[in-house]
């Protein structure tokens, strides 16, 4: 998932590296691949935060930048749908195709993937008209479920683009016996000013997710540890989502007839 986040950042850019834009982009593409485009109101609802005006302004910006287009319903002109523009569709197809390959390769490298992944890669890369529906749509739906699982795990208080990196990096640091310092935790966050990052860290500490601990060797250094509560939540979250991904790959193999 760390690699996926970096892939999204590389593909979409820092300006749109937020949970609200991710949901909007991904859900719009998913509905396009289902051949059931979102209405404008549904597109606004797909973003998790922001006032109605804020969400509308986000849409206007994306339409002005030719990433999305409005389409009138031919049978009911009062209804308007949102569709990805050609550039967005091409970029989305590339992003989800590449990220799915990376995820499957991770399973293969970790010996969690029982079959040879190459036939599945070949099928994803082919030019057949069913690739979007058969591969990219299920992967996009999995990622939506993944993000929803994260938000539900933390009662929608610690969004992914703000807290995924500090929570997970702190957990890995503790497991490796190399806890992160305050500055290292702030550096691992992908967006926000230094002051904003410090506020996020303070909030996580105040809510019992992270714990500050002075170094026994140098009292000027403060480490950030995961609380037992956070560790338990993260283990449960990753266990569920890893099992769901294994089920997805098994389904892709079975439904596509890949040996």
């Amino acid at each position: 998932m760390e690699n996926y986040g970096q892939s999204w950042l590389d593909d979409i850019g820092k300006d749109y590296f937020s949970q609200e834009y991710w949901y909007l982009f991904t859900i719009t593409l998913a509905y396009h691949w289902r051949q059931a485009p979102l209405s404008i109101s549904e597109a606004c609802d797909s973003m998790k935060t922001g006032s109605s005006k804020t969400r509308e302004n986000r849409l206007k910006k994306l339409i002005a930048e030719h990433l999305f287009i409005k389409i009138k319903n031919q049978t009911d002109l009062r209804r308007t749908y949102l569709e990805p523009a050609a550039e967005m569709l091409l970029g989305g197809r590339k992003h989800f195709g590449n990220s799915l390959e990376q995820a499957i390769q991770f399973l293969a490298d970790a010996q969690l993937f029982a079959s040879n992944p190459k036939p599945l890669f070949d099928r994803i890369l082919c030019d057949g008209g069913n690739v979007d529906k058969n591969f990219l749509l299920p992967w996009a739906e999995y990622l939506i479920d993944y993000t929803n699982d994260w938000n539900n795990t933390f009662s929608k208080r610690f969004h992914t683009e703000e807290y995924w990196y500090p929570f997970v990096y702190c957990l890995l640091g503790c497991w490796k016996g190399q806890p992160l310092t305050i500055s290292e935790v702030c550096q691992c966050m992908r967006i926000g000013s230094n002051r904003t990052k410090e506020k996020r860290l303070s909030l996580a500490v105040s809510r019992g997710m992270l714990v500050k601990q002075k170094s026994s060797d140098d009292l000027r250094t403060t480490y950030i540890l995961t609380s037992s509560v956070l560790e338990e939540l993260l283990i449960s979250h990753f266990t569920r989502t890893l099992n769901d991904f294994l089920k997805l790959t098994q389904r892709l193999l079975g439904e596509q007839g890949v040996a």
Side-chain angles (χ1 to χ4, degrees), residues 51-66:
S51 64
S52 296
K53 188 171 183 61
T54 296
R55 299 183 190 203
E56 290 169 2
N57 286 338
R58 290 176 188 149
L59 275 183
K60 289 178 181 178
K61 178 182 179 181
L62 295 170
I63 292 169
E65 294 181 357
H66 307 293

Side-chain angles (χ1 to χ4, degrees), residues 120-157:
L120 188 52
F121 291 160
D122 292 341
R123 187 66 66 88
I124 295 171
L125 290 170
C126 77
D127 294 329
N130 292 324
V131 172
D132 292 347
K133 179 181 177 182
N134 291 337
F135 290 98
L136 303 189
L137 175 58
W139 173 231
E141 290 173 333
Y142 166 80
L143 290 168
I144 293 168
D145 290 341
Y146 174 89
T147 309
N148 286 337
D149 189 282
W150 176 279
N151 289 334
N152 292 334
T153 296
F154 296 103
S155 303
K156 299 178 174 61
R157 292 181 176 177

Side-chain angles (χ1 to χ4, degrees), residues 222-240:
T222 300
Y223 294 117
I224 303 297
L225 311 178
T226 52
S227 68
S228 59
V229 172
L230 176 59
E231 183 175 15
E232 183 177 344
L233 289 172
L234 288 174
I235 289 173
S236 297
H237 163 70
F238 284 122
T239 300
R240 284 191 303 273

Side-chain angles (χ1 to χ4, degrees), residues 65-79:
E65 294 181 357
H66 307 293
L67 294 174
F68 290 96
I69 54 176
K70 289 182 178 181
I71 298 177
K72 284 287 185 182
N73 185 321
Q74 296 303 308
T75 58
D76 185 354
L77 295 179
R78 295 170 300 176
R79 294 179 63 82

Side-chain angles (χ1 to χ4, degrees), residues 26 29-30 33 89-101 124-125 130-143 248 252:
T26 306
L29 283 168
W33 289 330
L89 186 58
L90 182 63
R93 183 178 288 118
K94 179 180 177 182
H95 166 73
F96 286 110
N98 289 341
S99 58
L100 176 57
E101 286 185 57
I124 295 171
L125 290 170
N130 292 324
V131 172
D132 292 347
K133 179 181 177 182
N134 291 337
F135 290 98
L136 303 189
L137 175 58
W139 173 231
E141 290 173 333
Y142 166 80
L143 290 168
L248 171 63
L252 293 178

Side-chain angles (χ1 to χ4, degrees), residues 67-251:
L67 294 174
F68 290 96
I69 54 176
K70 289 182 178 181
I71 298 177
K72 284 287 185 182
N73 185 321
Q74 296 303 308
T75 58
D76 185 354
L77 295 179
R78 295 170 300 176
R79 294 179 63 82
T80 304
Y81 295 112
L82 189 72
E83 285 273 37
E87 179 183 352
M88 184 68 220
L89 186 58
L90 182 63
R93 183 178 288 118
K94 179 180 177 182
H95 166 73
F96 286 110
N98 289 341
S99 58
L100 176 57
E101 286 185 57
Q102 291 172 12
I104 293 172
Q105 187 62 57
F106 165 79
L107 290 185
D109 293 342
Q111 298 183 333
L112 295 171
F113 197 81
S115 303
N116 176 10
K118 187 178 184 303
L120 188 52
F121 291 160
D122 292 341
R123 187 66 66 88
I124 295 171
L125 290 170
C126 77
D127 294 329
N130 292 324
V131 172
D132 292 347
K133 179 181 177 182
N134 291 337
F135 290 98
L136 303 189
L137 175 58
W139 173 231
E141 290 173 333
Y142 166 80
L143 290 168
I144 293 168
D145 290 341
Y146 174 89
T147 309
N148 286 337
D149 189 282
W150 176 279
N151 289 334
N152 292 334
T153 296
F154 296 103
S155 303
K156 299 178 174 61
R157 292 181 176 177
F158 300 101
H159 294 306
T160 50
E161 83 274 10
E162 297 172 342
Y163 287 99
W164 192 95
Y165 287 100
F167 281 4
V168 175
Y169 277 40
C170 284
L171 179 68
L172 294 176
C174 289
W175 282 354
K176 293 175 182 177
Q178 299 173 341
L180 275 62
T181 64
I182 291 177
S183 62
E184 288 172 336
V185 174
C186 290
Q187 287 171 12
C188 79
M189 299 183 207
R190 293 300 191 263
I191 59 172
S193 65
N194 290 335
R195 183 173 179 80
T196 298
K197 293 176 180 180
E198 290 169 359
K199 285 184 177 179
R200 289 179 194 149
L201 180 55
S202 296
L203 178 63
V205 170
S206 69
R207 291 187 175 174
M209 296 291 104
L210 298 174
V211 178
K212 289 184 177 181
Q213 179 177 293
K214 286 287 187 181
S215 169
S216 58
D217 299 325
D218 184 354
L219 294 180
R220 295 171 298 177
T221 300
T222 300
Y223 294 117
I224 303 297
L225 311 178
T226 52
S227 68
S228 59
V229 172
L230 176 59
E231 183 175 15
E232 183 177 344
L233 289 172
L234 288 174
I235 289 173
S236 297
H237 163 70
F238 284 122
T239 300
R240 284 191 303 273
T241 53
L242 177 57
N243 285 332
D244 289 343
F245 184 56
L246 290 170
K247 291 176 183 177
L248 171 63
T249 56
Q250 291 168 359
R251 180 161 64 86

